[in-house]
Amino acid sequence: MAKQLHLGAFMRPVSIHTGAWRYPGAIRDANFSLAAIQRFIRSLEAAKFDYFFMADHLGVLNLPRHALMRSHTVTSFEPFTLLSALAGVTSRIGLVATASTTYDEPFHVARRFASLDHISGGRAGWNVVTTSNPDSSRNFGLDTQPDHAARYHRAREFYDVVSGLWDSFADDAFGMDPDSGIYFDPDRMHTLNHKGEHFSVSGPLNIARPVQGCPVIFQAGASDPGRQLAAETAEAVFAAESTLEGSKAYYADVKARATAVGRNPDHIKIMPAVFLVVGDTVEEARAKRAKLDSLVHYDSGIHSLSGMLGHDVSGFDPDGPLPEIPESNASKSSRRFMIELARAENLTIRQLAAKAGSYGGLAFVGTARTITDEMQHWLEQGACDGFTTMFPYVPEGLEDFTSKVVPELQARGLFRSEYEGETLRDHLGLPRPDNRFFA
């Protein structure tokens, strides 16, 4: 049997495109409408998607009013609250949320994800991030955020503490014997007593070991520290490469790093993010993309670009080239991508802002057949294990993919027609980890 793709859906925001809410027929309040999001996740589960993913931001971006007023991401649900609600209207699809290692505490994160894993019957995943938005720091009593290297150093210890807390109880700790009156065996409980550079955490966690043993660990690191953290800890990676050759190199690098630290490289799934626009003809799909891109206002695009670069470029000549941009504490991958794009295509700041406000990364724009061709080619070329899909607008863009592309993938044997397991680990073909403290 041919290797099959994994498919996840990036759903917070419901579209990464800043013009999505303006597209004809779009659900304007989709980012904070429970009814709409329930509709989306049911469609994705019916299409047998591996997971539904919610990114998160810990503050409203500090934009000028004329840019902020155009943002459809200024309001959205807190991920754990929403995913717990969505667990009740689904039964198989994975539920993945971002939680920051920069502005949260390990005990909080361990408890929330363990709870979500139990509530959902083993479908939780944690996207481990170091917060790169400098505006978030002011919501947590800080004037500036920690630098890039310090954030990753903290993240590594944060992960160790969280994963240790998940192993607080042996799987058989809760005998719940009514005859003896013994609810659990204290000899099957472990107190972590972690004391490190960043954290001092006693434990144990006050919830039973997660159904999956450990919720699936996701990451998105593109920088060297990010790749190394992924190789050491991640089980699925949101890659951001926009070319086939770039993704092949990233895929090989992360898998090699995993092998070097003694991990099975097949236990890390590389899932590039891809923006999808589906039409009945290639020309129709391109026209949809052009219409969508035309809805991005320059005020919005220029501040999206500034955020990605970690530097305010709104004062430069819009029709001039991008000047040299100094290093910052912003996301290294976003900064690198936009600078390389500007240089490779000789773009003006205005043109680059249009791409930043729309979506300048990997995009498949075409018919069900041509998009399936591209996905199959990436899989067979060793550039990915699947894709984290992003829809141009909702509901139409999402339903175009689930009703047209998914059946084509299934017909070629590239994607499942039915779920074969119950948990997110089952869907991704990942083993349930042993408890490090108990046989």
Side-chain angles (χ1 to χ4, degrees):
M1 182 178 178
K3 183 179 179 182
Q4 289 194 330
L5 286 162
H6 296 286
L7 290 176
F10 184 108
M11 294 301 298
R12 197 281 183 188
V14 294
S15 174
I16 200 74
H17 198 290
T18 59
W21 67 275
R22 301 179 66 196
Y23 198 85
I27 299 175
R28 308 281 185 241
D29 65 346
N31 278 317
F32 61 107
S33 166
L34 178 59
I37 295 173
Q38 286 175 331
R39 171 181 174 176
F40 305 151
I41 198 169
R42 284 172 170 144
S43 294
L44 293 165
E45 185 170 63
K48 315 306 177 190
F49 265 59
D50 292 72
Y51 58 84
F52 177 104
F53 166 58
M54 292 195 71
D56 194 23
H57 301 282
L58 297 174
V60 172
L61 294 179
N62 185 23
L63 300 178
R65 288 172 62 88
H66 60 274
L68 186 63
M69 69 184 185
R70 302 182 185 281
S71 173
H72 70 133
T73 63
V74 70
T75 176
S76 59
F77 292 116
E78 187 280 321
F80 282 93
T81 309
L82 178 60
L83 291 182
S84 295
L86 295 178
V89 298
T90 57
S91 61
R92 295 293 186 87
I93 192 168
L95 304 167
V96 183
T98 290
S100 173
T101 61
T102 307
Y103 298 119
D104 215 327
E105 291 296 324
F107 195 91
H108 289 144
V109 168
R111 193 175 185 216
R112 290 176 198 140
F113 276 103
S115 296
L116 180 61
D117 206 51
H118 281 285
I119 289 168
S120 65
R123 295 185 282 139
W126 173 26
N127 179 36
V128 183
V129 302
T130 67
T131 302
S132 61
N133 174 16
D135 298 318
S136 297
S137 62
R138 290 186 284 275
N139 290 332
F140 297 89
L142 301 174
D143 293 330
T144 59
Q145 65 178 2
D147 67 36
H148 188 267
R151 295 200 306 269
Y152 274 96
H153 193 259
R154 174 185 164 99
R156 186 64 179 86
E157 186 181 342
F158 195 111
Y159 166 81
D160 290 339
V161 176
V162 170
S163 57
L165 287 169
W166 282 330
D167 284 342
S168 293
F169 291 96
D171 290 320
D172 62 358
F174 294 88
M176 297 177 281
D177 182 2
D179 293 330
S180 67
I182 297 174
Y183 192 80
F184 85 103
D185 182 354
D187 290 335
R188 306 294 281 170
M189 178 181 73
H190 179 81
T191 300
L192 188 63
N193 282 328
H194 174 89
K195 294 187 183 299
E197 180 179 349
H198 298 280
F199 306 105
S200 177
V201 181
S202 172
L205 191 66
N206 55 342
I207 185 169
R209 193 169 189 241
V211 175
Q212 297 182 100
C214 167
V216 177
I217 303 299
F218 287 73
Q219 286 178 29
S223 64
D224 188 76
R227 293 182 187 214
Q228 189 61 32
L229 184 64
E232 294 174 5
T233 65
E235 296 170 293
V237 179
F238 298 127
E241 296 293 336
S242 60
T243 66
L244 177 65
E245 291 306 313
S247 192
K248 287 170 65 176
Y250 181 91
Y251 186 97
D253 180 47
V254 172
K255 299 264 184 172
R257 291 177 189 235
T259 301
V261 297
R263 296 187 63 199
N264 184 338
D266 291 336
H267 295 167
I268 304 179
K269 308 301 179 182
I270 308 298
M271 306 283 289
V274 60
F275 188 77
L276 298 155
V277 185
V278 185
D280 291 332
T281 65
V282 172
E283 292 73 23
E284 180 188 60
R286 289 173 177 167
K288 287 182 177 181
R289 176 70 194 264
K291 170 67 174 177
L292 183 63
D293 288 351
S294 74
L295 300 175
V296 178
H297 194 281
Y298 180 74
D299 287 349
S300 178
I302 191 63
H303 287 287
S304 293
L305 176 61
S306 295
M308 295 175 75
L309 293 171
H311 187 80
D312 184 4
V313 295
S314 62
F316 294 113
D317 178 8
D319 298 307
L322 183 71
E324 291 297 320
I325 301 300
E327 288 285 349
S328 75
N329 272 334
S331 168
K332 302 296 184 184
S333 55
S334 296
R335 178 186 180 277
R336 176 175 60 83
F337 173 76
M338 295 310 295
I339 291 174
E340 289 179 354
L341 181 65
R343 305 294 183 247
E345 300 185 14
N346 197 29
L347 300 178
T348 66
I349 288 178
R350 188 185 304 278
Q351 292 169 323
L352 202 60
K355 289 185 176 292
S358 56
Y359 180 72
L362 176 63
F364 295 159
V365 180
T367 65
R369 181 181 59 79
T370 65
I371 290 173
T372 299
D373 287 343
E374 291 184 282
M375 288 185 159
Q376 183 172 3
H377 185 58
W378 276 57
L379 180 69
E380 292 174 347
Q381 288 294 307
C384 70
D385 295 302
F387 293 94
T388 299
T389 59
M390 298 185 293
F391 307 112
Y393 37 83
V394 290
E396 181 187 327
L398 183 157
E399 292 170 358
D400 281 344
F401 185 82
T402 58
S403 66
K404 297 175 182 178
V405 181
V406 169
E408 180 70 20
L409 290 167
Q410 292 168 332
R412 297 192 198 183
L414 294 169
F415 189 62
R416 69 172 69 87
S417 295
E418 293 294 338
Y419 290 111
E420 296 180 2
E422 302 289 333
T423 71
L424 179 53
R425 288 187 174 277
D426 292 336
H427 305 339
L428 293 171
L430 298 171
R432 187 178 190 272
D434 293 332
N435 190 314
R436 72 192 68 183
F437 305 123
F438 300 101

